[in-house]
Amino acid sequence: FAKWEHLKMLHDFQKDKQHKLQPGITEKTFDIGPFSKMNVGPAVNAFSKATADVLDFCVDHHDFPHDVKTTAFFIRMIAGWWDLMSSRSSRYCFTLEENGNYDANIQTLMDFMEFFDKCEQVKKGGDKEQIVQSNVMLTTTSMIMQAEYYLKERGMKFLLGGRFTSDCVENFFSQIRKRVSAPTPLQFKYAFRALLLLNHMKPSKKGAYLEDDHSNSWLTELDHIRKLKLDHQDEDENVYDVLIGD
């Protein structure tokens, strides 16, 4: 069995140590409430190759039960799949270039689908749930089809799996909600206008989704704009109020 409890064992083992074997495993990893379970960051840290390596290390050197290696294997398979499906850099992109490992990457996705489809998922109450496996199969097959289409038919040099995720959309809505938690259509329009003018898509520190690449390189920051003096009737008027139409 691949068990969630094995990650809790790792957390308990390292929580009082100054130097953590896997700093990404924290209390937030296990804060699975109605909304926090959608938080991508802790999940990425938990199901990463670094976590799998640390679990193997703890079995070999710190007397963890040997079945922890099963969990490590499961996490390593998830991590390999995630790296390709959410890639935002050339390190894990799909490309037909000589050093692109295109066939190997596609085979990785195929192997993961076969592996994941054979897994039996058991809840605490003993109920089995297979819907997530169908979703993974559909998502992975779609990515393979997109790679074939854009690289071989459209002639693109490379394809990033991360461009097909919903992170950019979710980050956009988080920017709207940060300004008005429950916006009316008019408030949404004003906030949208401000974001377009400012190119200000810096994610919230409490956001549940991954930051898109290059978002830290926007030329204009809201705090900087607020400090500028405008050639306006009232020099002290807040530029943000002008932009959103208040």
Side-chain angles (χ1 to χ4, degrees), residues 70-226:
T70 302
T71 301
F73 174 79
F74 178 81
I75 290 176
R76 191 171 286 108
M77 292 292 290
I78 295 278
W81 173 81
W82 171 261
D83 287 341
L84 289 172
M85 295 293 292
S86 65
S87 61
R88 290 177 170 81
S89 70
S90 58
R91 183 179 179 186
Y92 295 111
C93 72
F94 297 95
T95 178
L96 296 176
E97 298 293 329
E98 184 176 353
N99 297 325
N101 299 321
Y102 176 78
D103 291 336
N105 288 338
I106 296 298
Q107 190 61 49
T108 296
L109 297 182
M110 298 289 290
D111 292 342
F112 177 79
M113 282 197 295
E114 181 179 1
F115 158 77
F116 200 71
D117 188 51
K118 292 180 180 179
C119 293
E120 290 189 7
Q121 302 185 39
V122 182
K123 295 182 179 180
K124 289 184 178 180
D127 297 329
K128 297 180 179 179
E129 179 59 80
Q130 305 297 332
I131 295 178
V132 65
Q133 290 169 286
S134 299
N135 292 341
V136 167
M137 296 284 285
L138 177 61
T139 302
T140 309
T141 303
S142 298
M143 183 60 69
I144 294 174
M145 293 173 63
Q146 297 297 334
E148 291 279 320
Y149 172 70
Y150 281 106
L151 297 179
K152 295 184 178 180
E153 295 188 29
R154 297 294 296 273
M156 292 180 63
K157 291 185 177 181
F158 67 93
L159 185 72
L160 299 176
R163 296 302 175 221
F164 293 89
T165 68
S166 63
D167 286 337
C168 56
V169 177
E170 296 292 347
N171 282 326
F172 165 70
F173 282 115
S174 72
Q175 292 297 310
I176 300 291
R177 292 193 298 269
K178 188 168 70 172
R179 287 158 173 77
V180 185
S181 59
T184 64
L186 186 59
Q187 290 172 326
F188 187 97
K189 177 182 178 181
Y190 286 155
F192 189 13
R193 182 196 305 172
L195 291 171
L196 287 174
L197 291 173
L198 295 174
N199 281 338
H200 183 73
M201 287 298 291
K202 188 174 182 180
S204 171
K205 292 181 180 179
K206 298 182 180 179
Y209 295 88
L210 297 180
E211 180 178 351
D212 201 11
D213 273 3
H214 312 303
S215 61
N216 59 351
S217 61
W218 295 114
L219 298 178
T220 307
E221 292 285 348
L222 180 58
D223 291 337
H224 174 66
I225 286 291
R226 282 174 169 167

